[in-house]
Amino acid sequence: MLLAVTTAACGDDEPAVASPFGECSAVTAPPPSAAPVSATAGATDLPDVELPCFTGDDKVALRELRGPAVINIWASWCGPCRTELPVMQSLATKAEGRLTVLGVDSGDKREMGAEFAADKGVRMPTLFDEKGALLNGLGRVNLPVTVFLDSAGRSYVHPLPLDARGLSEQVRKHTGVTVTP
């Protein structure tokens, strides 16, 4: 009965669990400490995909994202993602102001993604990709996938789960930002 009342209180588009994620309004701006964007810098080489922010109706065009950045594609039903996502949140916390860290909940149910993230303390800005458009655009099928974006807009796709040390190494190698694990 409680489940019915909770579900009935939410509209069809709203998750039963409130979104724990941060707003997406600043994700297309370079991090405050990033090098100035040159006049020749253009769009990134990311797929031409526009996704809604998990917390509202704002849409984010991924080609407008500016590096350095890390995009982690995950789902609540993905075992390795369940281990990796808190590591991504730790990166977001440690690198705030130097690196944009963005999650993409892919091929998931909103309620399940919000509930999982709330349980794990994940607060980084996150997009919702119910149909897996970004994963398809990257030519990938398995999760998790992490995309590293440098300040020139070049991306590197890492198709395997990362622990804190591996993530730190990949961030330094592909974005030029040093973050201790």
Side-chain angles (χ1 to χ4, degrees), residues 24-41:
C24 300
S25 56
V27 298
T28 57
S33 66
V37 178
S38 71
T40 59

Side-chain angles (χ1 to χ4, degrees), residues 8-68:
C10 297
D12 290 339
D13 295 335
E14 295 180 29
V17 175
S19 172
F21 304 110
E23 292 294 322
C24 300
S25 56
V27 298
T28 57
S33 66
V37 178
S38 71
T40 59
T44 68
D45 64 359
L46 292 172
D48 190 13
V49 174
E50 186 176 81
L51 298 171
C53 184
F54 208 104
T55 60
D57 295 331
D58 293 340
K59 294 208 178 221
V60 174
L62 290 175
R63 285 200 172 163
E64 292 179 11
L65 187 65
R66 296 294 171 252

Side-chain angles (χ1 to χ4, degrees), residues 76-123:
S76 64
W77 48 261
C78 163
C81 301
R82 296 178 72 81
T83 301
E84 184 184 64
L85 194 59
V87 174
M88 291 294 165
Q89 177 58 54
S90 178
L91 173 67
T93 301
K94 291 176 181 177
E96 188 172 357
R98 298 183 292 143
L99 180 73
T100 298
V101 181
L102 177 66
V104 177
D105 186 7
S106 182
D108 208 353
K109 303 269 188 225
R110 285 181 82 88
E111 300 82 20
M112 299 302 290
E115 185 176 296
F116 167 67
D119 287 348
K120 295 293 186 177
V122 176
R123 302 168 311 284

